[in-house]
Structures are given as C-alpha cells and as structure tokens.
Amino acid sequence: MEPQLPSNFRTGTESLQKLEESLYKREEIQADTEQPNPPKFIVELKDAEAIEAGPAHFDCRVEPVGDSSMRIDWFFNGRPFATGSRVHMLNDFGFIVLDMDYVYARDAGEYICRATNKWGTATTKAKLVCKAKHDIVLESQLPQGMSGEKLKELEKGHITESKPEEKIPTEPPRFITQIESVGVGEAEPVHFECRVEPKKDPNLRIEWYRNGKPLPTGHRYRSIFDLGFVSLDILYVYPEDSGEYVCKAINNYGEDTTKATISCKKIPMIILQSQVPKGMKRSEALMQMEATIKKYTSEVHLTEDDLYEPEKKQPPRFVTQIVDQTSLVEMQSTKFECQLAPVGDPNMKVEWFLNGKPLPHKNRCTPIYDFGYVAMNFGWVYPEDSGEYLCRATNLYGMDETRAVIKTSGKPGIIYDSQLPKGMKSIEKIRDLEAAWQVPPEKPEDEEKPREKPVFVTKPEPFTTIEGDSARFCCRVTGYPRPRVMWLINGHTVVNGMRYRLTYDGMWHLDIPKTRQYDHGKIEVVARNSSGETRVETTLTVNSRGDDYRGVLKNSPRRESQTIPLSASISIVLTEQLQNFLPTVDLSKIFIFVIIIVNKLITYSYKLF
C-alpha cells in the first residue's frame, strides 16, 4: 500500500499542484504569443456523379495544417452525415477525404464539409448526382459480337456428312483360335481366350456353357467380347467348377463352338504340412522360438537341437517339468508351465488330465502351446481343483508326460471375524461416526476458546396446524465445543427421513411435511456437548380436518327394528335431502347414484382406519 511516486517527489499532492501550475502558465504564454488563424479551404469540394452501387469520392484541402484544435464535420442536406461501414472519412495534414464504397439513389444531394477551430469556421459544398439502375434491363446481355442468328447456328451443332453404309457379313461364325484346357488348385484364377470371325457382324453373340448348362452369373465370372476377341476370367475356382466349358458363337447364318476342360484340385480342410517358408534357416527359426518363449518367461531352456526335423523322427521330450502348487488359497490364481521339444512338429498333440481324467474345458482354465512353450493358466482355483495334474505330449514317434500336484485350502462359508476396517473397534464407533454426519464440521480456530455449556439463543415456539398440513420448528444454540442437537416428539427420537427433515444452516430446523394425529403433543430439543446438556420444550397442536367423515360414519345411528347396511342408511338420508332440491328427478335414480358414491367413501375410510 506504499505510494509508487519517484523519490524526489515529497508528496503526491504537491507534485500534482506543480504540474497543474506549469500547464496553466504555458497556456497563458501561448495565448499571448499566438496570432488568430481561422480555417480556410485552399481546394474546394467538386460536384460528382456516380452510378447506383458504384463508389463516390470527395476531397478538399484546408489550412492551417497541424492545428490541434481543428475539427472536421460532414453534413448531408443540412443534417449531420451518418457514418457506416461503407463510408470512410480521412483528415490528415490538411487533406480531407470522404469515400463511399457504394451509393444508393437516396445518397444524391448536397454535401457540406465544415472546418472549425478556436478562431473561426469555414465551409465548402458540393453536390452528388446518383444515376439509378433500371429495374427491368431492356438491353441485350449477350457478349459483343454475338447475335440471335449466330446462337441459332451454334444450337444446330456441327452437321456431319453421312457415311456410306458398311456391308453386313453374310457368313456363319468361325473360331480362328481355340480355348485350352487347364488344371489348377483350389482358389487359383483361370483364363480362357479365343478369336472369332466375322468380327464386324452386329448380330453375332457369344454364350458360355459349363457341363451342358449356361454358365451362372456372379462376380467371379468376367467375360469379354470385343471386335472378334473373346475371353472368360474366373477370379478363383472351387472343386465344383471342374468340368467341360463350351464357348458358342451364334449369328443369323449359323453357329460354331470351341471346348476346353478345367481340373480343380481340392485343398484339404486341415493342413498337416509345415507352413514355414522355404529357405528359412535354422538360425531364423531359433530366433523366432526364443522371441516367442520370452513373451511368457525369461528363461529359455530349448536349444537349436530341439528344432523339428522330419529326417530325425524325434519323439516328444519335456525339457522342463511342471512344479507342485501346495499352498494355494481359494480364489487365488496360479499356472503350470514347461518347455517341450521338438519345436515346430505339426503332429504334436498336448493334452491335460486331472486325477487320470481329461481336464474339462472351463473359462478360468486357459491352455497355451506356442513354439515349445506349454502352460495351463488358472484364473482362480477352488478346493475341488486339488489333485494330480498330468500333461501328456504325443506325436508320430512317441509320448512323454510331466506331473504336478495342486492343493487348495477353502475359505469358511460363514465369516465370524469382524470385517470392520482397522482402527474401528466396535459398533459404538460406527454410531459416533453416524451422529457426526448431522453435526456441521467445526472450523479450526487459532486460539482455544473456553468451554461453554449449550445455551439456546432462540427457542422453538408452539405451533398449531391441521392434520395433513406441514409444521416447522427452529432454534439456535451456542456453546463450545459445538453442541449436538437432538429432537424428540412425545419422547421418541426424530430420525431424518421422509416423515421428518432435519437441517442446519446456522440454525437447527425440524420440518414435518405432513402432520398426523400422533404428532400432537410435546416437542423436545436436547443440545449436548462435553461441557453439559440443555433441554427446552414446546408443543405441537394438530387439529382434525373439518372434511373428515370417518367419525361420523363410524358412529352413525341404526334403526332398532331392522339392520340396514351403513351405506344404505347414509344413502337414504342423502337421497331425501337431494329430493328436496330436485323434486322432478326420479327418486330411484338418485338413490342408485348416491349409494355408489357412499360405498366408495366407506371403502376409503376403512383403509384409513
């Protein structure tokens, strides 16, 4: 908050006074020395003409140049000219300009430029004439040199001379070259091609047949016939595409055919041959094996000699064994892993057994066999998973096995130990925490206050309401530490919920949205802290509603001579009253209508009781 003035200024007020005095002195000196120089236009405005939507320009020059008190104003037809986005004004060293990007017919009129300084005023005038465009354009909009006759000639287009008609061939078709038979494997493409004459016959057509039937259409079949060149491409073939293919050429004078066959070799559903590319060296296979095993484990026990070679006829061999798991707990995860040679044998089969029986497929048991790495992952285990596990590897030349045991201890079905977090000793601690939810957090204070017993600064006042309406009590309590407040209705503790709402906003509030007869009575407020307890009382009066007929219906009189249902007795009374007001209406109709309403009313009253 210290002043930011320079050090040579004693106080801000003195400095400001000195600056103001120096300014006034300069003005007095200048007023004495300057000579009157009113404005004068050296170059006047000139009248201008513009076309509607075209630009307009005015310019003039004024003296004295560099007068700081000079002000330039523009007027249109005697009124100040309104500026806008299309109007640009310039006043720079005595050069004054008014530019309008585009003008309308309403912009035509007299423009005045007024220059004013402290010694006088000067003006210059000019007129703007705006030529409006026609709403209907009667002149031709064609480019120069273009006329209506020339347009008609262009629309006719270029007249081509008629060519002499060509001679249509009158001979039957004839294949110059034939299609050739092929033998391919499944999923390979096939191509047939041949040539036919006469190639300029417009009536010549080509048809393809397979095994005596027309070739089906589809995206796999693509046929071409162009100037005597005929071809058929099959993008990929299936075994059912095998057979005889016939290409038939037909015109008005005859037909000709050429034949060929396709032999498609079926690919087996299960590929038993090694899919390793030819030319892959043993070192490359070894690198791939090591990279694959390192995805699962850090230790690689397989060597180059464990790679598969058909000439050696290698039987299966477990290089490492699976290990026993005897200290597992229910729901714990575990796995068996080992390494198996030869690596890359296409006939190798790996099986898992539990207690001599095949291990059933489960979503929590995941087997792995990848480039010599064998494993069985258990997502979680149960006590019934305990037992002896056997992994068996089989190929064309032998068999090998490895065994291990799993022991899983189960968790008790009923948990007798406390599941409370550490540090929470008993249920009393939970109650203290729940009670603290209703107490607003205490703000930390720098200094300790003396402990005070709770004191009610504002006490709740008696409240009277009608059954079903709301009621509200509020009070204010002081004390240190901050007291806890509890409400009681007729000796019963009030719990925050739908029936009663407890809130705190600096004052303690008890809201009863919908009162009942059992809420009638004594309301107590208890404030308690470590220094003591204070209690105040008030009353809640709940009056019964005036439109409540439950008591009337319950104590209605009955005739001694005969027993009449309650609904009938009430209906008779109401019917007699209605008959007085509606003498022209049939009594039986009124009685039926009234008894239906009374029955519904009594049913509702019984539900309330």
Side-chain angles (χ1 to χ4, degrees):
M1 301 301 290
E2 296 179 359
Q4 303 300 311
L5 296 172
S7 59
N8 57 351
F9 285 2
R10 295 181 181 179
T11 62
T13 306
E14 293 177 1
S15 302
L16 291 173
Q17 289 176 354
K18 291 179 180 179
L19 288 173
E20 289 176 352
E21 290 174 359
S22 62
L23 289 174
Y24 291 143
K25 288 178 180 178
R26 287 179 186 174
E27 288 181 0
E28 292 174 358
I29 294 168
Q30 288 176 357
D32 295 338
T33 57
E34 289 182 352
Q35 296 179 358
N37 191 3
K40 181 178 62 174
F41 283 96
I42 303 170
V43 179
E44 300 285 336
L45 292 177
K46 295 179 181 180
D47 295 340
E49 290 186 2
I51 302 172
E52 187 177 3
H57 174 80
F58 291 109
D59 63 70
C60 59
R61 302 197 67 176
V62 68
E63 285 185 351
V65 177
D67 187 352
S68 59
S69 64
M70 180 76 72
R71 188 175 79 252
I72 303 299
D73 298 314
W74 286 90
F75 297 88
F76 172 62
N77 291 334
R79 296 181 180 180
F81 185 50
T83 60
S85 60
R86 62 190 182 97
V87 179
H88 307 283
M89 298 179 183
L90 176 65
N91 177 16
D92 192 7
F93 279 93
F95 186 74
I96 303 170
V97 176
L98 172 63
D99 279 315
M100 288 185 280
D101 294 337
Y102 47 91
V103 294
Y104 300 117
R106 64 175 182 268
D107 292 327
E110 185 182 53
Y111 286 81
I112 301 173
C113 178
R114 186 178 68 187
T116 307
N117 67 3
K118 57 187 175 181
W119 288 288
T121 303
T123 60
T124 178
K125 301 178 183 180
K127 290 185 179 181
L128 175 64
V129 178
C130 181
K131 294 181 180 180
K133 291 184 177 180
H134 297 289
D135 294 336
I136 301 174
V137 181
L138 302 176
E139 294 81 11
S140 173
Q141 302 297 307
L142 294 173
Q144 292 182 357
M146 182 77 69
S147 61
E149 290 73 13
K150 193 167 184 180
L151 280 174
K152 290 177 182 178
E153 292 178 4
L154 291 174
E155 287 174 354
K156 288 181 181 178
H158 183 66
I159 300 173
T160 56
E161 296 179 359
S162 58
K163 294 182 179 179
E165 294 183 358
E166 294 183 358
K167 250 188 175 184
I168 298 175
T170 57
E171 56 179 324
R174 178 172 54 88
F175 281 101
I176 302 172
T177 59
Q178 307 291 324
I179 57 176
E180 298 178 357
S181 301
V182 292
V184 294
E186 186 177 356
E188 292 183 7
V190 170
H191 176 75
F192 288 129
E193 67 175 43
C194 58
R195 291 189 175 273
V196 65
E197 286 189 351
K199 59 185 177 181
K200 294 184 179 181
D201 187 353
N203 299 315
L204 181 63
R205 68 179 188 273
I206 301 296
E207 297 177 356
W208 287 91
Y209 295 87
R210 182 182 69 189
N211 296 328
K213 296 180 180 180
L215 187 69
T217 58
H219 71 282
R220 294 192 299 126
Y221 305 99
R222 298 182 181 179
S223 59
I224 297 175
F225 172 46
D226 187 14
L227 289 177
F229 177 77
V230 182
S231 70
L232 172 65
D233 287 295
I234 305 177
L235 301 182
Y236 45 90
V237 294
Y238 296 129
E240 53 266 27
D241 292 327
S242 300
E244 184 183 54
Y245 285 75
V246 177
C247 179
K248 184 181 291 186
I250 306 170
N251 68 0
N252 296 335
Y253 303 99
E255 64 179 39
D256 193 11
T257 60
T258 177
K259 301 179 181 180
T261 58
I262 291 179
S263 177
C264 179
K265 184 179 179 182
K266 186 177 180 180
I267 297 176
M269 298 298 291
I270 300 175
I271 301 174
L272 302 177
Q273 292 78 17
S274 173
Q275 299 301 301
V276 176
K278 293 181 180 180
M280 179 180 283
K281 299 179 181 178
R282 290 177 59 86
S283 60
E284 295 176 357
L286 182 63
M287 289 173 62
Q288 187 175 359
M289 177 190 70
E290 290 178 352
T292 304
I293 294 178
K294 284 182 178 179
K295 291 192 303 183
Y296 305 102
T297 181
S298 58
E299 298 182 0
V300 181
H301 298 279
L302 297 170
T303 61
E304 186 177 355
D305 296 333
D306 295 323
L307 294 175
Y308 172 71
E309 294 182 14
E311 298 81 10
K312 290 186 178 180
K313 299 182 179 181
Q314 302 157 292
R317 178 174 61 88
F318 282 100
V319 179
T320 60
Q321 307 292 321
I322 58 177
V323 183
D324 295 341
Q325 308 283 342
T326 57
S327 58
L328 297 177
V329 182
E330 186 177 359
M331 301 305 294
Q332 186 178 347
S333 60
T334 186
K335 71 174 179 178
F336 288 128
E337 61 180 355
C338 56
Q339 296 181 23
L340 175 65
V343 178
D345 187 351
N347 300 306
M348 183 71 73
K349 183 172 69 172
V350 177
E351 300 172 292
W352 289 88
F353 297 87
L354 171 60
N355 296 328
K357 296 181 180 180
L359 184 66
H361 294 283
K362 301 176 182 178
N363 62 343
R364 57 190 180 88
C365 304
T366 308
I368 298 175
Y369 175 45
D370 190 6
F371 251 95
Y373 178 80
V374 181
M376 174 63 72
N377 290 330
F378 295 88
W380 60 91
V381 293
Y382 294 128
E384 54 264 28
D385 294 329
S386 301
E388 184 185 51
Y389 286 79
L390 180 141
C391 180
R392 178 182 296 164
T394 310
N395 69 358
L396 300 176
Y397 309 109
M399 179 188 70
D400 195 10
E401 297 177 349
T402 177
R403 302 169 186 265
V405 176
I406 281 184
K407 291 183 180 180
T408 306
S409 58
K411 293 182 179 179
I414 300 175
I415 300 173
Y416 295 97
D417 300 331
S418 173
Q419 300 299 303
L420 295 174
K422 292 181 180 180
M424 190 174 289
K425 297 182 179 179
S426 63
I427 196 66
E428 299 297 333
K429 184 74 175 177
I430 296 177
R431 288 174 181 168
D432 292 342
L433 289 174
E434 290 176 346
W437 294 345
Q438 298 182 1
V439 180
E442 296 182 2
K443 296 181 180 179
E445 297 183 359
D446 298 337
E447 299 179 1
E448 276 196 29
K449 294 181 180 180
R451 295 181 177 272
E452 296 178 1
K453 184 180 177 180
V455 177
F456 281 90
V457 179
T458 304
K459 297 182 180 180
E461 297 179 357
F463 196 90
T464 302
T465 185
I466 300 173
E467 184 180 3
D469 291 349
S470 61
R472 183 180 178 89
F473 297 92
C474 59
C475 64
R476 184 179 177 188
V477 187
T478 61
Y480 185 80
R482 188 185 298 276
R484 290 163 46 196
V485 174
M486 184 171 58
W487 296 81
L488 293 89
I489 299 179
N490 296 325
H492 299 286
T493 305
V494 176
V495 180
N496 191 21
M498 293 182 64
R499 282 280 294 116
Y500 307 103
R501 295 176 185 171
L502 303 176
T503 55
Y504 175 79
D505 58 358
M507 296 184 69
W508 298 90
H509 299 273
L510 166 62
D511 290 296
I512 307 175
K514 198 171 185 180
T515 56
R516 295 285 184 264
Q517 283 290 342
Y518 51 79
D519 294 328
H520 178 87
K522 184 173 63 173
I523 307 294
E524 297 179 77
V525 189
V526 181
R528 181 184 300 140
N529 65 4
S530 58
S531 300
E533 177 182 316
T534 307
R535 182 187 301 258
V536 296
E537 297 179 1
T538 187
T539 57
L540 172 61
T541 304
V542 181
N543 298 325
S544 59
R545 301 183 65 89
D547 55 353
D548 190 357
Y549 296 102
R550 289 177 293 177
V552 178
L553 297 174
K554 187 174 181 180
N555 301 319
S556 61
R558 298 183 181 180
R559 296 184 182 181
E560 297 179 359
S561 59
Q562 57 182 351
T563 303
I564 301 176
L566 178 61
S567 61
S569 61
I570 296 172
S571 301
I572 290 170
V573 175
L574 294 176
T575 304
E576 291 174 354
Q577 297 295 329
L578 289 171
Q579 185 67 20
N580 296 332
F581 294 100
L582 303 170
T584 59
V585 182
D586 187 8
L587 183 63
S588 60
K589 294 181 180 179
I590 296 175
F591 181 76
I592 293 171
F593 174 72
V594 171
I595 200 168
I596 291 171
I597 297 175
V598 172
N599 277 328
K600 291 185 178 180
L601 180 61
I602 292 173
T603 305
Y604 175 73
S605 300
Y606 285 154
K607 289 181 180 178
L608 292 177
F609 287 123

